[in-house]
Amino acid sequence: MDLIQRAIELRWPVLLFELIFLIGGILLIVSGRKIRKQSKISSLLNMIIGLVIALVSIYTLYWTIMLGYNS
């Protein structure tokens, strides 16, 4: 637990930046679900882009917490 807490304390600006991207990806997925009745192509595009952004953000958050900036 000490390792994770120390990693968050040292790397919080980068983690905050990556967390903003994760929230943006989730919002794209949610908005894609909401506009599904209006436009299927826009909905599908929003959900695909949101999913990619969310998955990449989760991966980079994990990578930053475990290995740090330069790895």
Side-chain angles (χ1 to χ4, degrees):
M1 190 66 182
D2 253 358
L3 177 69
I4 294 174
Q5 184 178 5
R6 204 169 114 233
I8 291 173
E9 288 174 357
L10 293 174
R11 300 177 184 110
W12 72 267
V14 174
L15 294 173
L16 180 66
F17 185 71
E18 293 170 358
L19 190 64
I20 290 171
F21 272 101
L22 179 64
I23 291 170
I26 293 170
L27 286 175
L28 276 172
I29 294 169
V30 169
S31 69
R33 302 244 335 148
K34 285 187 177 184
I35 64 169
R36 192 177 345 161
K37 290 180 182 175
Q38 296 170 354
S39 174
K40 294 206 183 272
I41 294 174
S42 295
S43 170
L44 183 64
L45 195 60
N46 269 356
M47 289 194 292
I48 289 173
I49 292 172
L51 185 66
V52 168
I53 290 173
L55 290 176
V56 169
S57 296
I58 290 170
Y59 179 73
T60 56
L61 278 168
Y62 172 75
W63 199 258
T64 302
I65 287 175
M66 291 301 153
L67 298 176
Y69 295 125
N70 299 328
S71 297

